[in-house]
């Protein structure tokens, strides 16, 4: 019966091709949606949790750190609190970066390396890491280097023309799984000068001697600086994750609409097949083919459409996932992972779409009476 399904579909090449293309789009979008969710849960959140953050100070009206601006003096004021073990002031800037082979948007994390060591370990993979006073170069996280295709010694251009800055890549580094592996690091004083933010920072990360004093520190900072807000690590991660969640929701909506369109596309193809093959259905019923067998015949055709469209969608989805990154609008640019279980889920969506679209036409074909089918044919 499977060979009959293939033959029937080949007779309607144009319609079959369009239906398969519809399912392909459904599966590709579904796979991207699934991979965004998987990559968020397995890359973004765990990498933030490795930073050793107790509290973060941000501008109260800022949606997230990349949009926050505050006085650098606040960091050194907080550093003097007896409850605070270490502070890490920084600027996050999202800018275009031009290399010899590409132009991409990147995250610049401007910091003081002497302060970072209190929070996580930085190790050069090639070249050297920056210092607090480095004024002509940047260091690139190992994951960002893979995406950008840069290496130690390369010269890159950062910023918008005509105010772009040429900087040398001092080295490629790893932080053993924190978010900085996906960023470009620059010395804080250099960033303040280049980005015209003298005396300004985006936020302050702090580590406490005793986490139980968090509420005391939070209250003291917010009382002294009403324009600032103090957040815990979980709240900070939620801020960075929120744009990803919005992206997930948008992809889910588009994917849902595509699934609905795919269902209608399959249904239309199969209904037309029922109309065109009334005589064939009548003959099958006349020679003793049961209702169940006719039903299965048309469902098999739908499954063939789903399987071919699913395979095509998975292939395109894998290509897209390898080319795309979750944009740096969230303060971190990450690549998408597509494990085998997501591929299986995407293929299941293809088959489900095909079955839903083929169920009614198959049932209609199975209910045709022999005399009616032969008479209408």
């Amino acid at each position: 019966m499977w060979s009959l399904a293939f033959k029937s579909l080949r007779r309607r090449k144009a319609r079959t091709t369009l239906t398969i293309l519809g399912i392909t789009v459904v599966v590709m979008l579904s796979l991207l949606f699934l991979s965004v969710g998987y990559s968020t849960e397995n890359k973004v959140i765990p990498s933030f949790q490795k930073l050793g953050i107790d509290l973060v100070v941000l501008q109260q009206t800022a949606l997230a750190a990349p949009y926050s601006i505050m006085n650098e003096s606040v960091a050194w004021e907080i550093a003097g609190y007896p409850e605070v073990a270490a502070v890490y002031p920084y600027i996050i800037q999202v800018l275009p970066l031009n290399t010899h082979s590409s132009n991409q948007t990147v995250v610049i994390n401007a910091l003081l390396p002497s302060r970072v060591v209190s929070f996580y370990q930085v190790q050069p993979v090639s070249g050297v890491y920056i210092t607090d006073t480095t004024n002509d170069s940047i260091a690139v996280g190992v994951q960002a280097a893979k995406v950008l295709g840069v290496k130690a010694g390369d010269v890159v251009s950062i910023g918008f023309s005509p105010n772009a800055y040429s900087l040398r890549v001092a080295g490629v580094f790893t932080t053993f799984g924190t978010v900085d592996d996906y960023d470009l690091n620059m010395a804080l004083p250099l960033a303040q000068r280049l980005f015209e933010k003298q005396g300004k920072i985006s936020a302050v990360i702090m580590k406490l001697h005793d986490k139980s004093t968090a509420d005391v520190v939070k209250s003291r900072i917010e009382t002294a600086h009403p324009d600032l807000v103090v957040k815990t690590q979980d709240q900070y991660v939620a801020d960075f994750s929120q744009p990803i969640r919005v992206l997930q929701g948008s992809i889910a909506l588009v994917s849902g609409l595509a699934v609905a369109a795919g269902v209608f596309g399959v249904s239309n193809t199969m209904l037309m097949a029922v109309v065109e093959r009334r005589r064939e259905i009548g003959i099958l019923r006349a020679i003793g083919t049961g209702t169940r067998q006719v039903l299965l015949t048309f469902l098999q055709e739908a499954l063939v459409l789903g399987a071919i469209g699913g395979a095509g969608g998975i292939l395109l989805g894998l290509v897209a996932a390898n080319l795309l990154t979750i944009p740096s609008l969230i303060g971190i640019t990450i690549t998408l992972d597509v494990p085998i279980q997501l591929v299986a889920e995407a293929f299941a969506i293809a088959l489900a779409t095909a079955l839903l679209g083929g169920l009614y036409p198959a049932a209609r074909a199975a209910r045709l009476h022999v005399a009616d089918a032969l008479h209408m044919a």
Side-chain angles (χ1 to χ4, degrees):
M1 299 300 290
W2 287 105
S3 60
L4 180 60
F6 279 102
K7 287 180 182 177
S8 298
L9 292 173
R10 280 199 298 268
R11 288 202 299 253
R12 307 180 303 276
K13 291 180 181 178
R15 196 185 309 149
T16 297
T17 300
L18 290 174
T19 304
I20 288 173
L21 285 175
I23 296 175
T24 298
V25 172
V26 169
V27 175
M28 181 184 70
L29 290 174
S30 298
L31 189 59
L32 287 176
F33 163 62
L34 292 169
S35 64
V36 167
Y38 178 87
S39 299
T40 301
E41 297 299 326
N42 292 276
K43 283 187 174 181
V44 178
I45 294 176
S47 63
F48 271 109
Q49 291 170 339
K50 291 182 179 180
L51 287 174
I53 298 170
D54 288 329
L55 295 174
V56 183
V57 185
L58 300 160
Q59 184 183 9
Q60 190 175 57
T61 56
L63 296 175
Y67 314 105
S68 172
I69 185 166
M70 54 192 286
N71 292 324
E72 183 183 352
S73 59
V74 173
W76 311 127
E77 175 189 324
I78 294 171
Y81 290 0
E83 300 89 352
V84 176
V87 297
Y88 165 8
Y90 67 99
I91 289 176
I92 279 189
Q93 197 80 12
V94 180
L95 290 171
L97 178 140
N98 292 294
T99 68
H100 64 280
S101 59
S102 68
N103 183 352
Q104 299 190 47
T105 301
V106 298
V107 177
I108 306 293
N109 190 13
L111 44 77
L112 296 170
S114 62
R115 293 279 174 172
V116 170
V117 295
S118 298
F119 292 84
Y120 56 86
Q121 183 182 357
V122 179
Q123 178 177 304
V125 174
S126 62
V128 297
Y129 192 58
I130 58 173
T131 68
D132 290 2
T133 57
T134 299
N135 62 8
D136 63 349
S137 56
I138 57 173
V140 182
V142 64
Q143 297 297 333
K146 290 179 182 178
V147 174
L148 299 170
V150 299
K151 61 184 184 301
D154 286 352
V155 175
V156 299
S157 175
I158 296 174
F160 298 95
S161 181
N163 298 316
Y165 309 100
S166 292
L167 297 170
R168 185 176 58 87
V169 177
V172 176
F173 67 91
T174 180
T175 58
F176 304 96
T178 80
V179 291
D180 272 23
D181 279 353
Y182 299 92
D183 294 345
L184 279 67
N185 283 184
M186 177 185 292
L188 181 60
L190 174 61
Q192 290 172 324
R193 177 170 59 84
L194 294 183
F195 307 146
E196 298 183 354
K197 292 187 175 183
Q198 287 84 354
K200 301 293 183 180
I201 56 176
S202 297
V204 183
I205 290 174
M206 70 183 84
K207 181 181 289 187
L208 304 176
H209 292 294
D210 184 349
K211 292 186 179 182
S212 65
T213 62
D215 289 341
V216 173
V217 175
K218 172 181 169 67
S219 177
R220 188 183 306 166
I221 295 171
E222 291 180 345
T223 300
H225 303 278
D227 59 326
L228 303 179
V229 64
V230 181
K231 299 187 177 184
T232 63
Q233 176 180 270
D234 289 342
Q235 292 170 325
Y236 184 61
V237 171
D239 283 346
F240 273 87
S241 301
Q242 183 59 35
I244 300 179
R245 305 297 184 193
V246 173
L247 181 62
Q248 282 182 275
S250 300
I251 296 176
L253 176 61
V254 174
S255 183
L257 293 173
V259 167
V263 169
F264 284 118
V266 173
S267 184
N268 177 68
T269 295
M270 300 308 296
L271 279 173
M272 292 299 294
V274 171
V275 172
E276 293 171 356
R277 294 164 60 191
R278 283 175 177 153
R279 179 177 177 80
E280 179 185 328
I281 295 169
I283 293 173
L284 287 173
R285 297 299 306 278
I287 62 175
T289 304
T291 299
R292 180 174 177 274
Q293 193 61 48
V294 173
L295 179 71
L296 289 177
T297 298
F298 281 87
L299 287 180
Q300 283 176 334
E301 289 187 25
L303 283 174
V304 169
L305 290 172
I308 297 173
I314 288 170
L315 180 61
L316 289 180
L318 290 173
V319 171
N322 284 327
L323 295 176
L324 295 178
T325 58
I326 297 177
S328 2
L329 138 80
I330 61 171
I332 171 176
T333 302
I334 67 171
T335 52
L336 299 179
D337 287 343
V338 188
I340 188 65
Q341 64 264 31
L342 298 190
V343 173
E345 288 180 37
F347 193 71
I349 289 173
L351 296 183
T353 300
L355 280 176
L356 286 172
L359 196 57
Y360 172 69
R364 182 173 174 178
R367 288 198 303 267
L368 280 176
H369 295 293
V370 176
D372 292 338
L374 292 174
H375 173 73
M376 287 186 290

